[in-house]
Amino acid sequence: MTVLSDRINNLSESATIKMAKLGRELSAKGVDVISLSFGEPDFHTPEYIKTAAKLAMDQNYTYYTPVAGYPELRKAIANKLKTENGLDYDASQIVVSTGAKQAIANALLCLVNPGEEVIIPTPYWVSYSEVVKLTEGKSVFINTTVEQNFKITPEQLEAAITPKTKLFMFSSPCNPTGSVYSEEELAGLVKVFEKYPNIYILSDEIYEHINFVEKCVSIASFPSVKDRVVIINGFSKAYAMTGWRIGYSASNKEIASACDKLQGQITSGTCSITQRAGIAACEGGLESVYEMRAAFRKRRDIVYELLKNIDGIKVNLPEGAFYFFPDVTSFFGKSYEGKTYNDADELSIFLLEEAHVATVGGDSFGDPKSIRISYAASEEKLIEAMNRIKTALAKLK
Ligand code: PMP
Ligand code: GLU
């Protein structure tokens, strides 16, 4: 038997990827599964971006690129941060990676020492706590509830800080809750960070354009903390480019150089053709992004109406991203055909087997009371899925 490292043995499989896999396996057997487990826009990548990629191949952009990305791309991202977010970053502060996922791993591995603490509000995106494990740091969770719209208060933040705290990491709009921190709410958190100058902040803004509040404010827009913020963003969600694998970080120059060095030993620069497409995405305006956002908003409203009318489900109205994270505790301990369902993960499997709808149990998001439903699917599929969920849940007695 191969003796694997403790590092990999201690790591959990990504729950989102696992449920997507289970859904696909069931589909392959001929079952009509509606997959609401994966956080992936169902739109195609806009044509002008694909055209740029085709051109890039013809122009022989097929060689290794600088590790942190083509200078033109880093500059285009710096311009985006200026024009869309009002933030000043030099191209040398941008590191382009193989997805936002790698940008997050880079930042954590460059900042966190074994034993140092990383504060993460729950619910959080599944990979956060797992990457902390790879750093041998310790995740410290701040729990939130659906009643507080899944957002932490400054008091909760301060209570979680210890002399070992190195980093605070969060996403806004949030995966899995869709919550968006307002400027005022961020200002409250910033006041706390001002008292603790050694704490860094990882701000995952990958859903910034999928928001229904008009404007998402970055915590980096507060000058007192900007130098300590690592912004994470990418093209997967805004431009429907999940398979292209491109994301980036914006940070102070020391962190950017560290990420560049780390990436140079692990993957080098991300795909050259993808990077040329990334330049086109940055320079092509936000029209297609806003079209997709309008579709997501309509779907959110449809699903909200259907979900809140399912007996036993407690749900809030998300302000961004494309997920619902309903509380399903009222079904715990209920049974169907001799089997009792005791937690959200079991309930998610029940919904897959009984309703043929794939969702993800909340445990891996740090919240075992809820399930995550992605509404990145067509309106017809969403309506059908909610009806199936309602029928299946009504069978639990
Ligand atoms: N952050 C969050 C909050 C996400 O939901 C995702 C989704 N995959 C990522 C980062 C990573 O995105 P990607 O690696 O596709 O750029
Ligand atoms: N981020 C998406 C999700 O949460 C994609 C899957 C993943 O990368 O984990 O479902």
Side-chain angles (χ1 to χ4, degrees), residues 350-386:
F350 167 74
L351 291 177
L352 181 63
E353 288 172 348
E354 191 54 34
H356 300 150
V357 178
T359 59
V360 189
D363 206 29
S364 313
F365 298 90
D367 186 339
K369 299 188 295 301
S370 303
I371 55 169
R372 191 188 76 171
I373 297 174
S374 161
Y375 56 90
S378 70
E379 286 172 27
E380 300 73 46
K381 277 194 182 161
L382 290 168
I383 293 167
E384 166 71 12
M386 294 310 121

Side-chain angles (χ1 to χ4, degrees), residues 99-101 104 125 128 171 175 204 206-207 236-237 245-246:
K101 219 172 216 178
I104 293 170
W125 180 45
Y128 289 175
S171 60
N175 177 1
D204 185 341
I206 195 157
Y207 295 97
S236 286
K237 315 292 169 173
R245 308 313 299 133
I246 178 167

Side-chain angles (χ1 to χ4, degrees), residues 1-150:
M1 199 176 89
T2 305
V3 181
L4 298 172
S5 68
D6 295 342
R7 185 179 308 110
I8 197 67
N9 284 333
N10 290 334
L11 197 72
S12 305
E13 181 183 358
S14 166
T16 50
I17 291 175
K18 187 172 159 189
M19 276 311 283
K21 212 156 64 182
L22 282 180
R24 275 190 216 122
E25 279 167 14
L26 206 58
S27 289
K29 288 184 190 153
V31 178
D32 168 27
V33 175
I34 302 181
S35 179
L36 307 183
S37 58
F38 219 25
E40 169 160 74
D42 56 324
F43 301 106
H44 294 308
T45 304
E47 281 307 318
Y48 71 95
I49 299 176
K50 291 195 271 190
T51 303
K54 291 173 197 162
L55 194 65
M57 269 188 275
D58 291 342
Q59 292 176 339
N60 293 312
Y61 282 104
T62 53
Y63 298 89
Y64 285 134
T65 77
V67 171
Y70 285 122
E72 306 91 295
L73 175 58
R74 296 168 82 193
K75 197 158 186 297
I77 292 169
N79 282 345
K80 170 256 177 276
L81 289 166
K82 179 71 186 164
T83 52
E84 291 176 17
N85 310 91
L87 296 170
D88 284 308
Y89 283 95
D90 186 72
S92 62
Q93 295 174 272
I94 312 298
V95 177
V96 179
S97 299
T98 307
K101 219 172 216 178
Q102 186 184 25
I104 293 170
N106 280 349
L108 263 79
L109 286 163
C110 288
L111 282 168
V112 181
N113 274 316
E116 287 181 334
E117 293 176 357
V118 178
I119 299 177
I120 308 176
T122 72
Y124 53 83
W125 180 45
V126 294
S127 293
Y128 289 175
S129 54
E130 296 307 313
V131 181
V132 172
K133 281 187 195 166
L134 292 180
T135 69
E136 295 178 48
K138 184 175 165 236
S139 293
V140 173
F141 300 112
I142 304 178
N143 292 327
T144 67
T145 60
V146 64
E147 287 80 14
Q148 63 186 113
N149 249 333
F150 298 111

